[in-house]
Amino acid sequence: MVNLRISDIDCYYGSIKALDNINFSVREGEFVGILGPNGSGKTTALRAISRTLKPRVGTIFLDDQNIYDMENREVAKTVAVVPQESISTFDFTALDIVLMGRNPYIDRFRQESREDLAIAKRVMELTNTWSFAERPVNELSGGEKQRVIIARALTQEPKILLLDEPTSHLDIGNQLEIMDLIKRLCETKKLLIIAVFHDFNLAARYCDSIILLKEGKIVAVGKSEETLTSENVRKVFSVDTIVKKHPVTGFLHVIPVSRPLNQKQKTLSIHLISGCGTGSLLMKILKDEGYFVTAGVLNLLDTDQETAQLLKIPITSEAPFSPITEESHTANLKMISKANAVVITPTQFGDGNLRNLEAAESGLKKGIPTVLIDNGSIEERDFTNGKATKYLGSLKSKGAITVKSNNELLELLDKLERKNNKNSHHRKGTNPVK
Amino acid sequence: MSSNEAESAYFKRFARWKLIVLILILALILTITFAITVGPKQISPIDAYKIVIDKIPFIGDLITSSSSSMEEAVIIDVRLPRILGAALVGIALTVAGVVLQGLFRNPMADPYLIGISAGAGLGASLSMAFGIGLSFFGVLYSIPLMAFIFAIGTVFLVYTLSKTGEEVPMLTLLLVGIAVNLFLMAINSIIRLYSGEAVHAILAWLFGTLVPCNWNYVKIALPFVVVGVALIYVFARDLNIMLLGEEQAHHLGVDTERLKKILLVSATLITAAAVSISGTIGFIGLIIPHIARILVGPDHRILIPSSALTGAIVLILCDTAARTISRPMELPVGIITALLGAPFFIYLVRRKKRSVIR
C-alpha cells in the first residue's frame, strides 16, 4: 500500500515563496490532477515531490518515510517523472532512452541484463513504442517521443508517476491515447498518479480528484464535480466559465465565456420569446451589449432556460415538458408589459408553447415594439397545424418587425435605445424593469 | 521489426563495441610503429620493435637487438617518450572533451572551456618569461608544474565563482569559465609584451608542442591520465543519462551534483596533466569526440574508449607531421591539428549533419 503525504510544505525560489503551506495526501490507484494559472506553483509541487526542489518548511512522506532522507536510487525505484517536454540531444535510440529507466536497478559495473531488456520491451509494447525501438528519438514525432518518455518512466517500475502537462504539446488524438494509457495504468497497476494540467476538460475526464492552486496556495481540493465549479474557476483564473456535465461523455466540461465588451448598462429592457436553444446566443449577446434581458415562458431543462440561469436572466418558467399554464402565462404577460421590446426567436412552436405567441400579441397591442427573427423556415417549426404560422402572420400585419439576423436585430434595438434615451431627456420615465 | 530482432541487435552491439576497441588498439599500435620509424634517421619497424622489446625487463632477455647505440638512443630517449606523450595528451584532451560536451550538453564545449588553457598558459608563461617556480621546481619541472598548478587553480576559481548555494548550475559555470579565460588571456598578453626573448617559447607553448616531451614529462602525465580516464569511464552510463538534462537524470537516480563534481575534477586533472606537458593543443578535444560520435554513436560506454584511442592516433600522426614536414624546422603540433582538423570537421558536419549534436 503506497501512500504519499505532502505535509505542510513551503517552497522557495530564492526569496520568492512558490508554495505556501501545501498539504494533501494521495493513495495508490488514485489519479490526482493539479490545476492552476501560470506561476501558481503546479510544477513546483511536482518538483518538491520528485526531490528536485527541497521544501524549506515541511516535507514529503512516502509511507511514513521522509523522501528527503532516502537514497537517490531508492526514490527512483518508486517515483518516476514524465516531464512536459524532453530535451533530445545526440542520437540515442528509443530503446536506449527507455533502458535508461533501468538505471536505479543496474549496478555501476554491470551492463543491462536480458531481464532489463525484457522489462523495457514489455513497457514499450504497452506504450506502443516497440515498433520504432531502434529509431533515434530525434527523428520521432512529438507523440511518439512522449510515449517513449512514458515508457522510460515505466521501466523504473515505479509506484508513483508524476506527470507535468504530459500532453500539452500533442494533438487531440495523441492526448487522449496517452491519457487513456495513463488512466489504465492507474487502474490496473494501482499506480499513484499526480499530474499537472492546463486543460480543465482533460483533468475532469481523467482525474479522481483535483487540486486547484492559486499563488502557491490550495484553493480547492476534492472530486472534480466539487472543485471544478464556475465559482472556483473564477476565483482562481479570473475567467467566467460555464461548467456542465456533457450529456454524451458524462464528463464535466468547462467552457470559458467571453467577457462582455461593453458593460455600460443600457436603458432598454428586452423580453425574449424563445426555446430549444434558439435564444441562448442572443441572451449572451444582448447581455453583453448592456440590455436588460428577460425571457419566458421557458420550460425547465430547456437549453434556453439553462442559459438564462447561467447568465442570471430573469425568466418565467414552466415545469419540464408541460404546456404553459394560466398562471405562468399571466406572469409572462406581466414581464412583457415591463419590457421595451419583445423579440421572438425562430423556435419551434407546439400546442404547449403557443400561448407565448398569444402573450406577444397582447404586448404588441399595448404598443410594445415586437421583433420577429425569421429564418424563413416557419413551416418546419410549426407543429400546431398552422396555428403558429397564422399567429406569426397576424403579428406581422399588426406591426411586428421582421429581421433576418441577430446583427439586424442589434441595429434595430440600437435605434430604439437612442430614441428611448432622447425621450427620457424630455420626460423621466420608461425605466427598465429592475 | 520483429521483437527478437531488436533484442538480439541490442546485445550484438556489446560484441560490436569490443570489436571497435580491438580494431582501434591495433590501429594505435600501427600508428606508433609508423611514427617511431619516421624521422631524420629512418629505422625499420623490426629494428624498432627489437630495440623497444629489449628494454622491457625479462622479455628483453629473450631477444638480442643488433641495432647501434645511436639508433637505440633515438628510439628510446627521443621518439618513444614523445610518441607516448602524444598518445597521453590525445587521450586526455579527447576524453575531457567528451565529458564536457556531455555535461554541458553543448557541442561547442572543449576541455579548455572552464579556464584550464588560460590558467595553464599563465603559469607556463610566468615560468618561461620570469623564471617563476624555477628555483622551487627545478629546470626540468618548472614549466609543466607551474602550468598544472595554475590550470587547477583557475578551474577551482571558476567553480567557486559559479557556486550558488549548494549547486553549481552548468550554464553559470560555462559563462564564468569564458569570462575567466578571457581575463587570464589578457594578463598573459601583458606578460608576453614584457617577456623579451622568451616570447617565441611562450608562443610555441601556447600553440602546443611536444618538442620538450621526455620520459620525465610522460611520468608526470601518466598517473593522472590513467586514473582520471578510468574514473570517467566508470561513470559512462551516468553521463549518458546526464544528456537528458540534470533534472531528468536526478529522477532516474543519478546523484547529479556528485557526478558533476567527480567528472569535472577528473576532466580537469587529465586536461591539466596533458597541457602541462604539451602546451595548449587546440581542436583535438573539440573535434575527435564529434568524429567518434559519428562513428560509434552517442553511448559513452563506447564513445569514451573509442574517442580516447582515436585521439591518441590522431595526435601521434599530427605530431609526426609536425616534426617531419618542414624539417629541420619543427612546427608546433597545435598548428597541424588546427590546419587539418578544422576542414575535416566541416566536411564531416556537412556530410552527415544529423549525427552531430542537435
Side-chain angles (χ1 to χ4, degrees), chain B:
Chain B
M1 165 196 330
S2 88
S3 59
N4 287 330
E5 215 173 295
E7 225 169 299
S8 59
Y10 189 80
F11 284 105
K12 249 183 222 156
R13 78 169 163 185
F14 291 134
R16 200 178 66 231
W17 288 356
K18 281 179 193 146
L19 188 67
I20 290 171
V21 172
L22 198 69
I23 290 170
L24 283 171
I25 288 174
L26 286 175
L28 179 61
I29 292 170
L30 281 178
T31 307
I32 292 174
T33 309
F34 167 71
I36 214 166
T37 57
V38 177
K41 178 143 189 66
Q42 290 287 345
I43 296 165
S44 80
I46 307 283
D47 288 343
Y49 278 135
K50 279 185 181 168
I51 292 169
V52 173
I53 292 169
D54 193 40
K55 287 289 162 189
I56 300 171
F58 307 118
I59 307 169
D61 300 339
L62 301 176
I63 60 152
T64 43
S65 169
S66 55
S67 305
S68 68
S69 60
M70 214 281 260
E71 280 177 335
E72 196 181 304
V74 166
I75 296 282
I76 299 297
D77 297 335
V78 179
R79 289 190 193 159
L80 196 56
R82 184 162 172 173
I83 289 166
L84 291 181
L88 284 176
V89 171
I91 289 169
L93 294 181
T94 311
V95 171
V98 168
V99 168
L100 290 181
Q101 284 171 8
L103 276 184
F104 286 104
R105 280 185 287 120
N106 189 329
M108 294 303 295
D110 78 352
Y112 303 147
L113 194 68
I114 48 176
I116 293 179
S117 57
L122 184 63
S125 299
L126 283 172
S127 177
M128 283 184 266
F130 309 125
I132 295 174
L134 207 61
S135 55
F136 193 71
F137 298 124
V139 185
L140 277 179
Y141 296 110
S142 156
I143 295 170
L145 290 183
M146 281 291 284
F148 189 80
I149 290 165
F150 271 73
I152 304 281
T154 307
V155 174
F156 185 74
L157 177 74
V158 170
Y159 191 84
T160 312
L161 289 175
S162 310
K163 210 165 182 173
T164 50
E166 279 177 33
E167 286 182 14
V168 179
M170 293 312 274
L171 187 64
T172 317
L173 196 64
L174 187 126
L175 293 174
V176 173
I178 290 170
V180 170
N181 248 327
L182 289 172
F183 182 79
L184 294 185
M185 270 154 68
I187 293 182
N188 209 344
S189 300
I190 298 171
I191 292 172
R192 276 207 301 283
L193 284 178
Y194 295 97
S195 60
E197 300 242 315
V199 70
H200 295 290
I202 293 177
L203 279 178
W205 193 95
L206 288 177
F207 278 122
T209 174
L210 286 153
V211 175
C213 192
N214 54 36
W215 282 111
N216 290 325
Y217 278 29
V218 173
K219 280 179 203 158
I220 293 176
L222 187 71
F224 287 105
V225 176
V226 169
V227 172
V229 171
L231 196 59
I232 288 167
Y233 185 70
V234 166
F235 289 93
R237 200 151 41 82
D238 301 62
L239 201 48
N240 285 345
I241 297 170
M242 274 302 259
L243 291 181
L244 302 171
E246 276 185 58
E247 204 158 318
Q248 291 192 45
H250 179 77
H251 295 151
L252 291 168
V254 176
D255 188 342
T256 52
E257 285 303 315
R258 191 184 67 138
L259 180 71
K260 276 193 290 186
K261 247 178 244 166
I262 292 172
L263 291 179
L264 282 176
V265 167
S266 307
T268 301
L269 285 179
I270 61 175
T271 309
V275 169
S276 70
I277 67 167
S278 68
T280 44
I281 297 172
F283 273 91
I284 292 283
L286 175 68
I287 289 173
I288 305 294
H290 285 293
I291 293 173
R293 212 171 271 124
I294 289 168
L295 295 177
V296 302
D299 195 316
H300 285 89
R301 289 174 291 183
I302 180 63
L303 184 59
I304 289 171
S306 56
S307 59
L309 290 166
T310 312
I313 292 167
V314 170
L315 196 57
I316 292 170
L317 290 176
C318 285
D319 186 51
T320 307
R323 67 186 164 89
T324 50
I325 51 176
S326 64
R327 239 170 15 214
M329 209 186 86
E330 285 239 13
L331 286 175
V333 65
I335 290 176
I336 307 281
T337 58
L339 283 179
L340 297 178
F344 183 59
F345 185 57
I346 291 169
Y347 161 74
L348 281 179
V349 171
R350 286 183 58 84
R351 196 182 62 114
K352 203 179 171 190
K353 277 187 184 130
R354 106 191 150 81
S355 273
V356 178
I357 307 177
R358 238 171 277 193

Side-chain angles (χ1 to χ4, degrees), chain A residues 267 269 338 340 420 428-434:
Chain A
T267 58
S269 169
K338 288 181 187 167
N340 300 91
N420 198 41
K428 296 245 153 53
T430 38
N431 279 330
V433 193
K434 279 280 137 78

Side-chain angles (χ1 to χ4, degrees), chain A residues 71-257:
Chain A
E71 280 288 316
N72 254 11
R73 289 160 71 89
E74 287 313 304
V75 176
K77 286 176 188 173
T78 313
V79 184
V81 183
V82 176
Q84 203 176 113
E85 200 181 14
S86 281
I87 329 147
S88 48
T89 31
F90 303 100
D91 277 341
F92 281 111
T93 65
L95 181 59
D96 285 332
I97 297 283
V98 172
L99 274 169
M100 287 181 187
R102 294 303 295 166
N103 183 57
Y105 296 92
I106 304 174
D107 289 340
R108 175 154 312 290
F109 295 101
R110 300 263 297 277
Q111 310 279 33
E112 297 87 353
S113 66
R114 292 212 169 260
E115 193 200 341
D116 294 318
L117 194 67
I119 290 166
K121 183 183 163 191
R122 203 170 59 230
V123 295
M124 287 185 87
E125 281 167 349
L126 190 70
T127 52
N128 217 354
T129 51
W130 183 248
S131 56
F132 47 82
E134 289 197 51
R135 269 174 58 199
V137 274
N138 286 334
E139 292 172 7
L140 301 179
S141 74
E144 290 169 334
K145 220 182 276 184
Q146 197 64 346
R147 288 210 305 275
V148 168
I149 299 304
I150 290 171
R152 189 191 70 202
L154 295 178
T155 50
Q156 289 174 252
E157 301 188 305
K159 297 188 176 72
I160 296 170
L161 196 57
L162 306 175
L163 305 120
D164 190 359
E165 291 177 46
T167 61
S168 58
H169 297 283
L170 305 181
D171 65 55
I172 182 77
N174 271 309
Q175 278 192 356
L176 293 183
E177 189 180 336
I178 285 178
M179 291 312 300
D180 281 341
L181 169 71
I182 292 167
K183 183 73 179 174
R184 208 162 62 233
L185 292 167
C186 176
E187 284 164 357
T188 57
K189 300 205 165 176
K190 291 283 166 227
L191 281 186
L192 184 165
I193 294 176
I194 302 177
V196 164
F197 286 98
H198 256 317
D199 186 330
F200 294 109
N201 299 327
L202 218 51
R205 186 182 180 118
Y206 292 101
C207 297
D208 301 317
S209 54
I210 281 173
I211 293 169
L212 275 180
L213 282 183
K214 187 190 184 183
E215 289 160 7
K217 293 192 184 81
I218 292 181
V219 174
V221 55
K223 291 200 178 312
S224 54
E225 294 88 41
E226 298 157 13
T227 44
L228 283 186
T229 62
S230 140
E231 285 73 29
N232 279 339
V233 173
R234 189 179 311 116
K235 209 192 295 173
V236 173
F237 291 90
S238 320
V239 169
D240 286 329
T241 52
I242 295 168
V243 181
K244 273 178 80 171
K245 204 162 224 176
H246 195 276
V248 176
T249 61
F251 299 120
L252 272 192
H253 276 234
V254 180
I255 302 144
V257 183

